[in-house]
Amino acid sequence: MENLPEYTPLSIQLIQKHTATSLLGYIPHFYPPKPFAFKSALYLCGMKQTLIENKGLPASLLWALAIIAGITVANLYYNQPLLYNISQDLQVSEFKTNLIAMVTQIGYALGLLFIIPLGDLFPRRKIILVNFSILILSLLSIALSPNLEFILLASFFTGLCSIMPQIFIPIAAQFSTPETKGKNVGIIVSGLLTGILGSRVVSGIVGEIMGWRFMFFAAAVLMILSCMFLLRVMPDIQSNFEGKYKDLMKSLLQLVKDYPVLRVSALRAGLAFGSFLALWSCLAFRMEQAPFYAGSHVTGLLGLCGVAGAMTASFVGRYVRKVGVKRFNYIGCGLILLAWTSLCFLGNTYAGIISGILLFDIGMQCIQLSNQTTIFSLNPKASNRINTIFMTTYFAGGSLGTFLAGSFWSLYGWNGVVGAGVLLIGCSLVINLFFKKEIA
């Protein structure tokens, strides 16, 4: 076995300074022979490199962002399978307990509106550190909350600071090559979806075995570990907006005014997401009733059906340009309407519930990813602000769906929830029908 070379501080500096290609002649054969693989190895070792717009994103960084995106976004959805448990523990009504999910979504929407634009103004590593710190405290506060009011306050800050994935998506869009942009955005969105479905499964099981408070203690620990790892591998990305925060926020209004495609894409996706959350915000209450009488662990396991959506995301990302945004929206709306049909007429059977969730997840990804991937080409220099407009509208629609579903559930039961969901996806379909202009 040949002796391994000893690297001095000077040689380490050379590795960080020069490209992997120029070093290949000086590196023994046990290093990865491909320049791109070598860059990935540097990231895993904590050696951050400068990213260049449209020149490519190291695979290790891309997958790290996708995994942490899933772990972070899970904070928004841990509460959904646990709402019935919380209602019973705190002795409050189902309508009031459902406000936890709504307040979390509102916090997320406001975080998207007021925090994500800072990615164009300040170093993103600083934004990540501050947000993770507040997020850890808010999750611990939920776990220790003595009453519903305190949970609502902590849930708002949990939503407000769980916006890290929406900083990652513009990074993938801005620094990927044009050929891999859709695929790389799809990988991060797949990470998001995996986190969403995994959060419901894990929280349902943990809530049934260990109690709902333990889930939020565990979530806080995951955030500590994610923050430490992300700060190690995240490169220094320079801001691309010169001016003050007030000017930055004004520029959001200008972007909305200048790009009608952005307005329409955000609105039709937001209404569809409202329909999606109408289902999940009341599913735990439905599963506790006849004929199921199922606990939170069963509601959580239903989240595994979302793997279909996660698998669809990468496919949609690859074929957005070929199929077209408008066609993907028609497909998505059609699948969601079929899902609600199944949930309405077969809602007393597991087959009807599962098939409805499967159709919902696939349809939702057709709508979200096709709209989100294409809007970044409108103005690549304003990718964070464009994503802010899109995702703020998206989660505002989610909050609307959660509120309508909770209200209709208390008045009309499951049929009321179905009606609210059909109304929202119907509005999304109408917008798609009457809007003619699309991104090439």
Side-chain angles (χ1 to χ4, degrees), residues 285-344:
F285 301 139
R286 176 70 187 95
M287 299 306 295
E288 291 285 348
Q289 292 185 337
F292 303 106
Y293 300 110
S296 63
H297 64 293
V298 175
T299 305
L301 287 171
L302 289 173
L304 286 174
C305 300
V307 72
M311 294 173 63
T312 305
S314 182
F315 171 83
V316 175
R318 286 189 178 95
Y319 291 96
V320 166
R321 288 177 176 267
K322 293 182 180 179
V323 178
V325 181
K326 201 173 185 71
R327 289 192 186 94
F328 263 127
N329 276 271
Y330 281 132
I331 294 170
C333 288
L335 289 172
I336 292 174
L337 285 172
L338 282 175
W340 280 120
T341 301
S342 175
L343 292 165
C344 179

Side-chain angles (χ1 to χ4, degrees), residues 75-131:
N75 296 313
L76 300 175
Y77 302 99
Y78 287 136
N79 56 41
Q80 290 180 356
L82 302 175
L83 291 176
Y84 183 80
N85 303 55
I86 296 172
S87 172
Q88 295 298 302
D89 184 34
L90 300 180
Q91 296 297 303
V92 293
S93 69
E94 293 176 346
F95 175 77
K96 289 183 178 180
T97 309
N98 195 61
L99 293 177
I100 296 172
M102 186 189 77
V103 167
T104 305
Q105 301 298 327
I106 291 174
Y108 193 78
L110 292 177
L112 292 167
L113 179 61
F114 293 108
I115 297 176
I116 291 298
L118 294 175
D120 287 336
L121 189 62
F122 297 108
R124 296 175 198 184
R125 286 167 57 84
K126 291 183 179 179
I127 299 172
I128 289 170
L129 178 60
V130 172
N131 273 272

Side-chain angles (χ1 to χ4, degrees), residues 131-152:
N131 273 272
F132 268 113
S133 299
I134 298 174
L135 182 55
I136 291 164
L137 291 175
S138 66
L139 289 168
L140 290 174
S141 298
I142 294 175
L144 298 169
S145 295
N147 53 53
L148 179 64
E149 289 74 20
F150 202 79
I151 292 180
L152 291 174

Side-chain angles (χ1 to χ4, degrees), residues 272-293:
F273 189 56
S275 184
F276 178 76
L277 286 192
L279 164 64
W280 280 102
S281 63
C282 291
L283 186 60
F285 301 139
R286 176 70 187 95
M287 299 306 295
E288 291 285 348
Q289 292 185 337
F292 303 106
Y293 300 110

Side-chain angles (χ1 to χ4, degrees), residues 102-389:
M102 186 189 77
V103 167
T104 305
Q105 301 298 327
I106 291 174
Y108 193 78
L110 292 177
L112 292 167
L113 179 61
F114 293 108
I115 297 176
I116 291 298
L118 294 175
D120 287 336
L121 189 62
F122 297 108
R124 296 175 198 184
R125 286 167 57 84
K126 291 183 179 179
I127 299 172
I128 289 170
L129 178 60
V130 172
N131 273 272
F132 268 113
S133 299
I134 298 174
L135 182 55
I136 291 164
L137 291 175
S138 66
L139 289 168
L140 290 174
S141 298
I142 294 175
L144 298 169
S145 295
N147 53 53
L148 179 64
E149 289 74 20
F150 202 79
I151 292 180
L152 291 174
L153 179 62
S155 295
F156 173 80
F157 282 101
T158 297
L160 186 73
C161 296
S162 293
I163 44 79
M164 289 302 99
Q166 302 309 324
I167 286 182
F168 302 160
I169 291 175
I171 291 174
Q174 183 177 354
F175 296 104
S176 298
T177 61
E179 296 79 15
T180 61
K181 194 181 297 288
K183 184 189 74 171
N184 288 351
V185 171
I187 287 173
I188 294 184
V189 171
S190 293
L192 281 171
L193 296 174
T194 303
I196 292 171
L197 73 92
S199 66
R200 296 186 179 117
V201 175
V202 171
S203 68
I205 295 173
V206 171
E208 192 74 15
I209 299 173
M210 305 294 293
W212 64 271
R213 295 180 187 273
F214 183 86
M215 184 65 250
F216 292 99
F217 280 122
V221 173
L222 284 175
M223 290 302 98
I224 293 172
L225 297 175
S226 297
C227 182
M228 293 171 60
F229 180 76
L230 190 58
L231 291 176
R232 181 173 177 80
V233 302
M234 186 75 171
D236 294 318
I237 300 173
Q238 298 299 318
S239 59
N240 50 33
F241 182 85
E242 296 181 0
K244 298 180 179 180
Y245 181 71
K246 180 175 67 174
D247 300 325
L248 186 71
M249 297 307 293
K250 285 182 179 179
S251 71
L252 292 177
L253 298 176
Q254 191 62 44
L255 288 170
V256 172
K257 180 180 178 181
D258 291 344
Y259 299 112
V261 171
L262 175 59
R263 297 196 298 268
V264 171
S265 295
L267 189 57
R268 64 188 171 194
L271 289 167
F273 189 56
S275 184
F276 178 76
L277 286 192
L279 164 64
W280 280 102
S281 63
C282 291
L283 186 60
F285 301 139
R286 176 70 187 95
M287 299 306 295
E288 291 285 348
Q289 292 185 337
F292 303 106
Y293 300 110
S296 63
H297 64 293
V298 175
T299 305
L301 287 171
L302 289 173
L304 286 174
C305 300
V307 72
M311 294 173 63
T312 305
S314 182
F315 171 83
V316 175
R318 286 189 178 95
Y319 291 96
V320 166
R321 288 177 176 267
K322 293 182 180 179
V323 178
V325 181
K326 201 173 185 71
R327 289 192 186 94
F328 263 127
N329 276 271
Y330 281 132
I331 294 170
C333 288
L335 289 172
I336 292 174
L337 285 172
L338 282 175
W340 280 120
T341 301
S342 175
L343 292 165
C344 179
F345 295 105
L346 301 174
N348 287 327
T349 66
Y350 275 106
I353 296 289
I354 291 172
S355 61
I357 293 173
L358 286 170
L359 289 168
F360 229 128
D361 282 320
I362 297 172
M364 196 62 235
Q365 292 322 302
C366 290
I367 294 173
Q368 179 193 351
L369 192 56
S370 61
N371 284 288
Q372 190 173 22
T373 300
T374 52
I375 59 172
F376 289 122
S377 63
L378 294 171
N379 189 339
K381 293 292 185 182
S383 58
N384 277 288
R385 282 166 283 160
I386 283 177
N387 197 47
T388 288
I389 295 165

Side-chain angles (χ1 to χ4, degrees), residues 47-70:
M47 298 180 184
K48 299 182 287 290
Q49 294 183 348
T50 301
L51 299 179
I52 301 174
E53 190 171 315
N54 293 323
K55 295 299 182 180
L57 202 63
S60 57
L61 178 61
L62 177 65
W63 285 101
L65 294 179
I67 292 169
I68 294 178

